Amino acid sequence: MDSKIALVTGASRGIGKTIAIRLAKVGYYVIVNYASSKEQAEKVLEEINREGGQGMTYQCNVAVYLEVEKMVKHITKEVGTINLLVNNAGITKDQLVLRMTEEDFSKVIDVNLKGTFNCTKAVTRSMFKARQGSIVNISSVIGLVGNIGQVNYAASKAGVIGMTKALAKEYAARNIRVNAVAPGFIETEMTDELTEEVKKTIMEKIPLNKLGTPEDVADLVEFIASDKARYITGQVLAVDGGMTM
Ligand code: NAI
C-alpha cells in the first residue's frame, strides 16, 4: 500500500463515520469498523469510494479481544501495517446510580474503555516494529467534568484519558504518539436521544453558544493524527465550544 492505513472503530455513523470519510479524503486507506450495522458501514465505504478514496469495512465488537485481534491480523495481512488507530466506538447507558444495573455499568466500560485497550494492544506489535504510528482516543468532556446519570460513561471516558497518558509515555520511545480528543456536545444520533430540556441546559454551558458538528471533531482528529502534530503526545484536546475552559 502506498497510502497510510487508518482503522476507525464504530465508523458506521456519527462522529466515526465523519472521521473515516475525512481520513480517506486526505489519503488514508480506511478500515470502517462496525459492530452490527453492515448496511450503514457499506454506505460509508461507498461514500469514500465515490470521493475517490479507498478502504474496506470490517465487522468486529471492540469489547472482545479475540475478535479485535482477528480483525487486526486480517488488515495487516490484506492491506498492511495500521499507521493510525482512532478509538471512536462508544456507547451510553445513562441512569442514576440507584437505578443503574451492574450490567449497564460493565457494558459501557467494556466498549468504551476495554475496547480502546483491546484495539490499542492489537495494533501495538506492528506499530512498534514500524517505529511509527499515531493513536487517537475519543474521550469526552464528561470524562473531564462528570455528569448526572452518567457515572459509567464518565468513568469510562476518564479512564480513556488516564490510559492515553500512560500509553503516550510507554510508546514515545517507539515514535508512536497517543492523544485523546474530548468532544463536547456534538450533534449525532447519540445526542439526538436527549430531551429538549437537557439540550437547553447544556447549551447554557457552551460559551460559543452552538452545538458542535462531527466535522469539528474530524478537523481535530485529522490534525492530531498528522505529521503537523509530530511534537504533540499524551494530550487531551477538548473540542467543546469552550464548555470546559
Ligand atoms: P454514535 O452512537 O452515533 O456512534 C457510535 C458508534 O460506535 C456506532 O457506529 C456504533 O455502532 C459503534 N459501536 C458501539 N459499540 C461498538 C462495539 N462494541 N464495537 C464496535 N463498534 C461499536 O455516537 P457518536 O456520537 O458518533 O460518538 C462517537 C464517539 O464520540 C463515542 O466514543 C462517544 O462516546 C464520543 N462522544 C460523543 C459526543 C457527542 O456529543 N455525540 C460527545 C463526546 C464524546
Side-chain angles (χ1 to χ4, degrees):
M1 286 294 309
D2 286 338
S3 46
K4 283 188 169 185
I5 299 163
L7 167 59
V8 184
T9 66
S12 62
R13 68 177 209 183
I15 295 173
K17 170 184 170 177
T18 306
I19 293 171
I21 292 170
R22 169 67 62 82
L23 293 175
K25 212 178 261 178
V26 297
Y28 283 90
Y29 179 101
V30 178
I31 294 91
V32 178
N33 159 256
Y34 65 97
S36 55
S37 334
K38 187 175 172 35
E39 229 171 88
Q40 278 181 297
E42 298 287 351
K43 279 199 181 130
V44 175
L45 184 59
E46 272 169 32
E47 199 168 330
I48 285 174
N49 292 153
R50 218 174 22 248
E51 293 183 20
Q54 280 184 292
M56 67 188 248
T57 60
Y58 198 99
Q59 189 280 330
C60 158
N61 177 357
V62 298
V64 181
Y65 184 72
L66 285 179
E67 282 190 31
V68 174
E69 195 179 41
K70 205 172 142 202
M71 167 174 69
V72 170
K73 273 191 182 148
H74 176 83
I75 298 165
T76 311
K77 185 163 169 264
E78 297 299 320
V79 208
T81 298
I82 295 165
N83 309 97
L84 167 61
L85 166 66
V86 183
N87 282 307
N88 166 79
I91 57 166
T92 53
K93 293 216 172 282
D94 300 351
Q95 194 56 267
L96 297 173
V97 173
L98 274 179
R99 283 193 226 122
M100 187 179 286
T101 61
E102 182 188 356
E103 198 193 349
D104 283 351
F105 184 84
S106 296
K107 268 190 186 157
V108 171
I109 298 291
D110 278 355
V111 176
N112 301 5
L113 184 57
K114 205 176 92 181
T116 299
F117 169 79
N118 286 345
C119 295
T120 303
K121 181 174 163 66
V123 303
T124 294
R125 201 177 296 277
S126 55
M127 268 195 191
F128 273 15
K129 224 169 144 189
R131 288 198 154 265
Q132 187 267 343
S134 175
I135 299 171
V136 181
N137 296 327
I138 307 297
S139 176
S140 166
V141 291
I142 305 303
L144 291 168
V145 299
N147 197 20
I148 294 169
Q150 293 200 299
V151 157
N152 47 2
Y153 186 74
S156 73
K157 294 300 188 178
V160 164
I161 290 171
M163 192 188 287
T164 300
K165 292 179 183 181
L167 285 166
K169 286 187 175 167
E170 201 168 312
Y171 288 23
R174 309 281 185 144
N175 194 32
I176 293 156
R177 297 181 301 106
V178 190
N179 290 287
V181 166
F185 190 3
I186 308 298
E187 274 183 288
T188 66
E189 282 163 71
M190 185 185 259
T191 47
D192 272 353
E193 287 166 20
L194 299 171
T195 62
E196 283 310 311
E197 203 189 328
V198 173
K199 283 187 191 172
K200 198 170 155 259
T201 320
I202 294 172
M203 277 294 279
E204 282 162 11
K205 293 182 190 145
I206 307 174
L208 283 181
N209 205 29
K210 59 182 175 196
L211 304 183
T213 65
E215 279 74 22
D216 294 330
V217 183
D219 280 338
L220 180 55
V221 172
E222 179 193 337
F223 166 73
I224 202 71
S226 78
D227 217 37
K228 287 190 178 156
R230 61 193 166 272
Y231 203 51
I232 304 175
T233 195
Q235 299 304 307
V236 186
L237 297 133
V239 47
D240 65 355
M243 224 174 151
T244 54
M245 75 169 95

